[in-house]
Amino acid sequence: MNEKALEKILNIFLKEVLPLTEQGVAKGSKVFGAAIIKKEDLSFVAAETNNEIENPLWHGEMHTLKKFYELDANTRPKEKDCMFLSSHEPCSMCLSAITFSGFDNFYYLFPYTATNDEFKIPHDLNILKEVFKINDGEYNKENSYWKSQNINLLIENLPSSKKEKILNQLNKIKKKYQKLSNQYQVNKDGNSIPLN
């Protein structure tokens, strides 16, 4: 993936996902968000954010899928023609939902280790270990259903001359997520989410 495509993807996080996440965190939900874009031109299709205060199943990815399937079926793009973007590496429930929905890919900004260490939300790794006996989140990232991609690694693989602008964009996004994470952590005891 070239730097122009990565720049467009990061802009989707900045313009579509983060504003929704800011609203969600203000209401007490976690920082996870997602978007769906068309593969052919990377144009926006749908986005949502975590809404666990309404329903513990409305993780960012699940809520985005809900919004995607509320679009008119006659004009909604086919799943295989779309890219699924997730702010954080999807949990086991969201991995399954992406799979059952027929998407053949997903791209994420923050891996499980960041979700656990930087965002202080250990549930993804804990559930994978306790339920599926998967240590360190090492599921099969390329399989017959989909291929997952860490956006940070895609950026790392760019030629040095192409990285500066996109790294600045990525750092801006990471700072916003960290600020929202801090806000969530301060206020989480006041919400009714089963797995804070």
Side-chain angles (χ1 to χ4, degrees):
M1 184 174 292
N2 66 34
E3 76 278 2
K4 294 292 183 198
L6 286 164
E7 202 174 309
K8 281 186 173 186
I9 286 170
L10 292 181
N11 276 331
I12 294 290
F13 282 103
L14 280 168
K15 294 178 180 172
E16 303 292 346
V17 180
L18 270 163
L20 294 170
T21 303
E22 288 171 351
Q23 293 171 19
V25 169
K27 294 175 185 173
S29 287
K30 292 187 184 87
V31 297
F32 308 126
I36 297 168
I37 62 175
K38 291 181 184 176
K39 285 181 182 176
E40 66 180 357
D41 59 4
L42 306 181
S43 61
F44 175 76
V45 177
E48 255 309 341
T49 193
N50 186 290
N51 192 14
E52 285 180 274
I53 57 166
E54 180 183 311
N55 179 335
L57 300 181
W58 290 154
H59 289 196
E61 298 91 339
M62 299 292 285
H63 209 199
T64 300
L65 287 167
K66 176 184 179 292
K67 188 163 189 175
F68 178 75
Y69 287 110
E70 289 172 347
L71 296 173
D72 184 338
N74 297 313
T75 57
R76 183 179 65 227
K78 301 288 183 219
E79 295 82 357
K80 297 258 189 273
D81 295 331
C82 293
M83 294 171 66
F84 197 101
L85 310 177
S86 183
S87 62
H88 295 70
E89 194 167 7
C91 73
S92 55
M93 176 178 68
C94 294
L95 285 173
S96 295
I98 291 166
T99 306
F100 277 105
S101 297
F103 289 86
D104 63 7
N105 68 84
F106 63 87
Y107 295 76
Y108 59 90
L109 281 172
F110 300 101
Y112 291 139
T113 51
T115 302
N116 184 68
D117 301 343
E118 297 166 33
F119 293 89
K120 309 294 183 229
I121 301 173
H123 313 303
D124 299 344
L125 286 173
N126 289 346
I127 290 169
L128 285 171
K129 183 177 180 181
E130 291 294 320
V131 177
F132 300 101
K133 298 186 180 200
I134 295 173
N135 290 317
D136 303 320
E138 287 304 316
Y139 61 91
N140 189 13
K141 296 185 191 309
E142 187 170 349
N143 54 64
S144 62
Y145 295 104
W146 40 254
K147 180 178 181 180
S148 71
Q149 301 270 347
N150 181 331
I151 294 169
N152 295 279
L153 296 178
L154 294 173
I155 292 170
E156 275 181 35
N157 290 330
L158 290 174
S160 297
S161 61
K162 309 277 186 182
K163 282 187 190 178
E164 185 177 351
K165 182 178 178 186
I166 202 158
L167 283 173
N168 288 337
Q169 192 180 20
L170 180 63
N171 288 333
K172 182 178 178 182
I173 291 169
K174 286 183 175 184
K175 284 179 184 173
K176 285 184 181 233
Y177 272 107
Q178 194 57 62
K179 182 179 176 188
L180 289 169
S181 176
N182 293 342
Q183 182 182 339
Y184 169 75
Q185 290 296 331
V186 166
N187 298 316
K188 72 180 183 179
D189 291 337
N191 67 32
S192 60
I193 298 171
L195 293 180
N196 266 333

